[in-house]
Amino acid sequence: MAGTDRRRKSEAAEFCREDAPAIILVEPQLGENIGMVARAMLNCGLIDLRIVNPREGWDRAKAEKASSGATMVLDRARFYTSTKEAVADLETIYATTARVRDMVKPMVTPRQAATEAVELSPTGRKIGILFGKEAKGLTNDDVALCDAILHLPLNPAFASLNLAQAVLIIGYEWFTMNDDTEGRYVHKSRSKSARPATKEEVIGFYEHLEDALDKSGFLRIEEKRPNMVRNIRNIFARIELTWQEVQTLRGIVAFLSTGRGGGPGKGKDD
Amino acid sequence: MAGTDRRRKSEAAEFCREDAPAIILVEPQLGENIGMVARAMLNCGLIDLRIVNPREGWDRAKAEKASSGATMVLDRARFYTSTKEAVADLETIYATTARVRDMVKPMVTPRQAATEAVELSPTGRKIGILFGKEAKGLTNDDVALCDAILHLPLNPAFASLNLAQAVLIIGYEWFTMNDDTEGRYVHKSRSKSARPATKEEVIGFYEHLEDALDKSGFLRIEEKRPNMVRNIRNIFARIELTWQEVQTLRGIVAFLSTGRGGGPGKGKDD
């Protein structure tokens, strides 16, 4: 889901950063899962996929199909015969694990890990995140190699995710930490008519509407009129109308109050 | 992935809240996707699933299999023949859409929507999130019904998610907003020996180590000794050792410095 311009898939690597965490899959069993992980990685601007001892005969074609076009991640994937080799150049590694181990180990949420990664980014810190095989997860030996355990806060009685979903949430936290999208803004169509209305245009509409309401008898009780006018203006004041929308509302008022003759086509404003 | 005690699936509904947003699937095509959505919902404590006109002949058995046990969500799902009916009792609804529409519409990130939901929670605000059919998304008419568009900040050139993944990210933002897990903490085994070591125990280990290093000649250069001792203490001071770990380290020093005879078994500390 992109809220900005649509880009082509071929440009996807441009939105991946060299300092993004590496994703390390230890003994993945199914090509589909490797493909879905590649897709989730590219969704989140991650490009460094490392695979330790995938199950013999895993299906590259199935991985590609499941990746929905994230082949650039699969193409760059590197293969290792041990976790030790796969993490050799990294400086901080996190274990993702669904089971609580009988270990004394720092537990970190994905948001905290992403915050720390961004803080350490200027130092060139190389980070990796380890995922174990689908059903069994990481071995205790692999967890012991890691600096901390990544713990996803989810329903404690129903917390199990598939591999790609865990990668997605962790990657999403990392991506949003580097993203400056405003929390809330109004999307404007790019056409000129979608420009914000000036106050003169908005007040012109108010006066048009109030004039029609006066004529129709809706505002006939004199002592209530000022308050009703303010209430009606407050309804529309919340909308941040565009120029085009002001024209639409004026057309509605004209049509309702005088029939077709007074509506669109009557003047330059339409 | 739970970092806390393991709970049983049957307890999962206890972690769902009545004021959690409703998930509304408009014309979903595949039972598997409905099931995976149910799973993602339960992961995130969401329980109110509403389905508008699912494809005729969608496979409930496949949905159940894909839900990985989130049948309580499927069991409670309600079915509607129009979006209008499905959202009738709600007060704020969000459209999720991958395409940018030519509409003037507030755009909101999932984190912002979750923040607003938590702020409005004391007022009993009823919130729903609309998802369109798998390939095509929501119709423009359904989007126009909504108060705002939920926009997921992801790789602009590779932002498409499947239905369950979009539900997961949105639900995850909602769940974590209501969750008080610390960003980082040290997981401690529940056994008594995993209690934090007292400073007396830690300093006892330092002195044991330094004594062994004196005897071995490692600290033989007198003018360098104070600085080396501080550096070595600083290595171990970063670890927040447990009582058990102090015993392990003392055992290591004893074994290395004097051979098996001085190691575990020599005293009550082991």
Side-chain angles (χ1 to χ4, degrees):
Chain A
M1 309 196 170
T4 52
D5 313 67
R6 297 298 287 168
R7 310 285 187 130
R8 278 178 303 191
K9 279 185 184 175
S10 58
E11 298 176 84
E14 291 172 31
F15 297 91
C16 297
R17 290 168 48 149
E18 286 306 314
D19 63 352
I23 298 296
I24 303 133
L25 306 182
V26 183
E27 298 184 19
Q29 302 296 291
L30 295 171
E32 287 90 331
N33 287 334
I34 296 173
M36 287 192 293
V37 164
R39 178 184 180 181
M41 286 178 64
L42 199 54
N43 283 147
C44 303
L46 308 178
I47 195 92
D48 184 353
L49 175 60
R50 306 176 182 201
I51 304 177
V52 181
N53 291 331
R55 190 170 68 176
E56 222 175 316
W58 70 282
D59 192 327
R60 161 82 198 213
K62 283 188 180 171
E64 223 160 281
K65 184 154 179 277
S67 80
S68 298
T71 42
M72 68 186 76
V73 178
L74 295 172
D75 290 342
R76 295 192 200 188
R78 283 173 283 179
F79 292 83
Y80 300 87
T81 56
S82 72
T83 304
K84 183 176 142 184
E85 288 171 81
V87 302
D89 62 315
L90 302 173
E91 292 157 339
T92 300
I93 52 179
Y94 297 95
T96 58
T97 168
R99 281 180 296 139
V100 182
R101 317 288 174 126
D102 194 27
M103 294 190 194
V104 181
K105 202 85 184 167
M107 305 284 287
V108 183
T109 62
R111 192 160 304 167
Q112 177 68 22
T115 305
E116 293 173 7
V118 169
E119 285 166 3
L120 292 169
S121 169
T123 68
R125 180 68 62 98
K126 287 181 191 149
I127 293 168
I129 301 156
L130 254 69
F131 296 81
K133 70 171 81 171
E134 288 85 343
K136 293 188 165 179
L138 289 166
T139 64
N140 283 335
D141 287 337
D142 280 340
V143 174
L145 268 185
C146 292
D147 298 275
I149 290 174
L150 264 192
H151 155 62
L152 277 73
L154 290 171
N155 186 335
F158 197 83
S160 137
L161 295 178
N162 69 34
L163 208 48
Q165 285 175 315
V167 169
L168 181 69
I169 285 190
I170 293 164
Y172 165 79
E173 284 287 7
W174 184 84
F175 190 87
T176 55
M177 203 60 71
N178 288 287
D179 181 77
D180 57 3
T181 306
E182 280 176 84
R184 177 182 274 275
Y185 66 95
V186 175
H187 171 69
K188 297 278 165 57
S189 153
R190 254 164 293 171
S191 78
K192 279 189 185 167
S193 58
R195 68 167 173 78
T198 64
K199 287 305 168 202
E200 182 180 23
E201 289 158 352
V202 174
I203 293 167
F205 158 65
Y206 292 161
E207 290 170 351
H208 181 176
L209 174 63
E210 289 148 17
D211 183 55
L213 293 177
D214 276 329
K215 284 177 183 149
S216 74
F218 183 83
L219 295 173
R220 67 190 174 283
I221 304 172
E222 194 58 35
E223 64 272 27
K224 290 194 175 171
R225 191 181 184 284
N227 203 31
M228 289 183 79
V229 164
R230 279 192 298 273
N231 288 345
I232 293 165
R233 287 188 176 198
N234 274 331
I235 293 172
F236 292 99
R238 290 209 297 277
I239 310 182
E240 295 182 34
L241 291 164
T242 65
W243 177 83
Q244 180 59 59
E245 289 167 341
V246 167
Q247 307 320 308
T248 300
L249 290 171
R250 292 191 75 147
I252 288 171
V253 172
F255 262 61
L256 290 179
S257 59
T258 64
R260 290 209 149 256
K266 81 179 164 75
K268 66 173 173 54
D269 273 355
D270 307 290
Chain B
M1 304 194 175
T4 52
D5 312 68
R6 297 299 284 167
R7 311 284 187 131
R8 276 176 305 189
K9 278 185 185 175
S10 58
E11 298 176 84
E14 291 173 32
F15 297 93
C16 298
R17 292 168 47 148
E18 286 306 313
D19 64 351
I23 298 295
I24 303 132
L25 305 183
V26 183
E27 299 184 17
Q29 303 295 292
L30 296 172
E32 287 90 330
N33 287 333
I34 296 172
M36 287 193 293
V37 164
R39 177 185 182 180
M41 286 178 64
L42 198 55
N43 283 146
C44 303
L46 308 179
I47 195 94
D48 184 354
L49 175 60
R50 306 176 182 202
I51 304 179
V52 180
N53 292 329
R55 191 170 66 176
E56 223 176 316
W58 71 281
D59 192 329
R60 162 81 197 210
K62 283 189 180 170
E64 222 160 282
K65 184 155 181 272
S67 81
S68 299
T71 43
M72 67 186 78
V73 178
L74 294 172
D75 290 342
R76 296 193 198 188
R78 284 174 283 179
F79 291 82
Y80 301 88
T81 56
S82 71
T83 304
K84 184 177 141 183
E85 289 171 80
V87 303
D89 62 313
L90 302 173
E91 292 158 338
T92 300
I93 51 178
Y94 297 95
T96 57
T97 168
R99 281 180 296 139
V100 182
R101 316 287 173 127
D102 193 27
M103 294 190 194
V104 180
K105 204 85 185 166
M107 306 284 288
V108 184
T109 61
R111 190 160 305 166
Q112 176 68 23
T115 305
E116 293 173 6
V118 169
E119 284 166 4
L120 291 168
S121 169
T123 69
R125 180 69 61 99
K126 288 179 191 150
I127 293 168
I129 302 156
L130 255 69
F131 296 82
K133 71 170 80 171
E134 289 85 342
K136 291 186 167 181
L138 290 166
T139 63
N140 283 335
D141 287 337
D142 281 340
V143 174
L145 269 186
C146 293
D147 298 275
I149 290 174
L150 264 192
H151 154 62
L152 279 72
L154 290 170
N155 186 335
F158 198 83
S160 136
L161 296 177
N162 69 34
L163 210 47
Q165 284 175 316
V167 168
L168 180 70
I169 285 190
I170 292 164
Y172 165 79
E173 284 286 5
W174 184 84
F175 190 87
T176 54
M177 203 62 70
N178 288 287
D179 181 79
D180 56 2
T181 306
E182 281 176 84
R184 176 183 276 274
Y185 66 95
V186 176
H187 171 70
K188 298 278 166 55
S189 155
R190 255 164 293 173
S191 77
K192 280 188 184 167
S193 59
R195 69 167 173 78
T198 64
K199 288 305 168 201
E200 184 181 21
E201 289 159 353
V202 174
I203 294 165
F205 158 65
Y206 293 161
E207 290 170 351
H208 181 174
L209 174 62
E210 289 149 17
D211 183 55
L213 293 176
D214 276 330
K215 284 177 182 151
S216 75
F218 184 83
L219 295 173
R220 66 191 175 282
I221 304 172
E222 195 58 35
E223 65 271 27
K224 288 193 175 173
R225 191 181 184 284
N227 203 32
M228 287 182 81
V229 164
R230 279 193 298 273
N231 288 345
I232 293 166
R233 288 187 175 199
N234 274 331
I235 292 173
F236 292 99
R238 289 209 298 278
I239 311 182
E240 295 182 36
L241 291 163
T242 65
W243 177 83
Q244 182 57 62
E245 290 168 341
V246 167
Q247 307 320 306
T248 301
L249 289 171
R250 292 190 74 146
I252 288 171
V253 173
F255 262 60
L256 290 179
S257 60
T258 66
R260 291 206 148 256
K266 82 181 164 72
K268 67 175 171 60
D269 273 357
D270 305 290

